[in-house]
Amino acid sequence: MTQRTTWRSVAAATGAGERSAAEAGVRLAYRRAGLREPERIRWARSPLEAARLLAAETRPTGPSVRTAVRDRPIAAARERLRTRLGPTGWSEHWRATGADLWETTAPLVDRIRAGIVEALATGPADEPRIRVLLLDAVLGQHEAAWLSAFDTGEDSEVAGLAQVARTAGWWWPYAELAVISERPTELHRDEAGRLDRGEGPALAYADGFALHAWRGLPVPGEFLDQLGSLTPARIRDEENAELRRVMLEHYGYDRYLSESGAKPVHRDETGVLWRIALSGDEDVAMVEVVNSTPEPDGTSRTYWLRVPPRTRTAREGVAWTFGLGAEGYAPLRQT
C-alpha cells in the first residue's frame, strides 16, 4: 500500500482507535514542539462531546498550544519540501499527494464544525465563542491530506501528529490538558467523496452526534425518514427547493413523470423531451432516450438524461450531453 493510499484510509477510518498509541502521539507532539507534556489527557466520544467537555471544564487548561504542536511543524515540513523541490516541484508534489484528499476532507471538516455550532450555540451571540473553541482543535485523522505529503517517520517534526492521526479523531491541545476525540463509528460517502446516505446518518459518532446528507447536501434526519413514502403530491408541496430536488432524485424523475401525469413537450428521432415545472424553482428538463442496442434478453433499455431547463427539443438536449449544439449533433450510429 502506497503512502498516498494509506493516508486516504486514515482519513476515512471509523471505529475505536488505539488510545494508548494516540496518547503517546500527543505527548510526542508536545515534546517535539519543545513543550512540557500535558498533565491530563481526557477522551471524548465525538468532537461535539469534546467541545462540551471543554466548555464545562472547571480545572485550569492553560492556553492553547495548537500553533506550537500543529501549525509550526506542518509549516516547517512544507517549507523544507519547497526548498528542496522548488515552488513548481512542491505544487506538483502536493497535487500528487494531498490535494484531492483535501478537496473531499475540507467539506467534511466544515460540516462537523457547523454541526457542533448548531448543537452548542444557544443563539447568534453565542456562536463566536464556540467557533473560537473549534479553532483550537487539531484535526487528527482529518490532517491526512497534509501528512500524506510529508515524511512522517519517527525523526520528523510531524511524527506525533501522524501517530495521533492514525489512531484518533480531532484533539484539543492546551498547556495543562489535552482532549482527544474518538473517530466516527460510521461514514458514508458517494463516488465523489460527498457525505451521502438515504437511510440514516452519513456520519455518526458513539455519543449520538450525527450528520445527515444526501449527495453532499445537508438534510434533517427526519426528512430522510419520509423518503420511503413519497408521492408526487408530497414532492410538489415541498417548499424548500433543495429538499425537493433530493425528493425527485430519490423518487426517480421517470417515475415522477409517469405518476404525475406529465406530458411530453417535444419528440423527434433522438428521444422525447419532458419538462417538470416546479414552483419557486427552475424547471427540470429530461430527455427520454431508448438504447438502440438491445439487451441480452432482447429488450431495449430506456435512459433519462437531465438537460438544461432552457432546452427546446429532444435533439438539442441529447446534443448538449455531448457538448454540442443541436445543429452539430449527427451521430452515425446510436448505441
Side-chain angles (χ1 to χ4, degrees), residues 54-65:
L54 285 164
E57 179 65 40
T58 56
R59 296 174 62 182
T61 64
S64 170
V65 294

Side-chain angles (χ1 to χ4, degrees), residues 31-53:
R31 293 197 304 272
R32 289 289 162 85
L35 302 173
R36 179 173 54 86
E37 295 179 11
E39 292 182 0
R40 295 173 290 141
I41 295 179
R42 298 184 63 180
W43 280 84
R45 292 171 294 174
S46 75
L48 173 61
E49 188 172 83
R52 278 201 177 109
L53 184 156

Side-chain angles (χ1 to χ4, degrees), residues 84-101:
R84 179 164 62 87
L85 301 175
T88 301
W90 158 250
S91 296
E92 292 174 351
H93 177 73
W94 173 242
R95 286 196 298 271
T97 54
D100 60 339
L101 177 57

Side-chain angles (χ1 to χ4, degrees), residues 14-260:
T14 58
E18 301 175 44
R19 289 196 172 191
S20 59
E23 292 180 10
V26 167
R27 295 189 177 96
L28 177 58
Y30 274 66
R31 293 197 304 272
R32 289 289 162 85
L35 302 173
R36 179 173 54 86
E37 295 179 11
E39 292 182 0
R40 295 173 290 141
I41 295 179
R42 298 184 63 180
W43 280 84
R45 292 171 294 174
S46 75
L48 173 61
E49 188 172 83
R52 278 201 177 109
L53 184 156
L54 285 164
E57 179 65 40
T58 56
R59 296 174 62 182
T61 64
S64 170
V65 294
R66 181 184 187 275
T67 298
V69 302
R70 188 265 181 200
D71 295 350
R72 288 175 188 159
I74 284 182
R78 182 176 56 208
E79 187 57 32
R80 181 175 297 107
L81 274 174
R82 282 176 59 88
T83 299
R84 179 164 62 87
L85 301 175
T88 301
W90 158 250
S91 296
E92 292 174 351
H93 177 73
W94 173 242
R95 286 196 298 271
T97 54
D100 60 339
L101 177 57
W102 181 242
E103 288 181 2
T104 57
T105 303
L108 176 60
V109 169
D110 291 341
R111 284 292 315 280
I112 292 172
R113 285 175 174 151
I116 294 173
V117 171
E118 182 180 352
L120 293 185
T122 57
D126 199 31
E127 289 188 12
R129 177 181 63 86
I130 306 302
R131 295 187 188 280
V132 168
L133 179 61
L134 293 174
L135 291 177
D136 289 340
V138 180
L139 302 181
Q141 70 183 119
H142 296 148
E143 302 283 5
W146 282 113
L147 295 170
S148 70
F150 304 143
D151 171 20
T152 57
E154 293 181 3
D155 296 330
S156 72
E157 59 267 87
V158 295
L161 293 174
Q163 185 165 332
V164 182
R166 294 187 186 101
T167 53
W170 294 19
W171 57 288
W172 279 256
Y174 296 91
E176 306 297 332
L177 169 70
V179 176
I180 310 174
S181 166
E182 292 279 12
R183 298 180 300 202
T185 55
E186 293 186 69
L187 175 64
H188 303 271
R189 299 201 239 194
D190 64 10
E191 63 281 356
R194 303 171 298 184
L195 286 179
D196 178 46
R197 191 182 183 196
E199 301 159 352
L203 179 75
Y205 287 85
D207 65 332
F209 176 47
L211 300 175
H212 296 79
W214 175 269
R215 297 181 183 175
L217 177 70
V219 296
E222 58 272 17
F223 170 81
L224 294 176
D225 294 338
Q226 60 180 288
L227 290 182
S229 57
L230 287 175
T231 64
R234 172 68 186 89
I235 294 171
R236 284 194 301 270
D237 292 342
E238 174 57 51
E239 296 180 356
N240 185 300
E242 288 187 328
L243 295 183
R244 191 193 297 127
R245 291 192 195 104
V246 172
M247 289 177 168
L248 279 168
E249 289 179 2
H250 188 275
Y251 197 74
Y253 291 101
D254 54 342
R255 182 183 174 193
Y256 180 86
L257 288 166
S258 174
E259 297 182 7
S260 63

Side-chain angles (χ1 to χ4, degrees), residues 1-19:
M1 184 180 292
T2 66
Q3 177 168 306
R4 187 171 185 265
T5 302
T6 296
W7 284 108
R8 274 153 181 70
S9 297
V10 168
T14 58
E18 301 175 44
R19 289 196 172 191

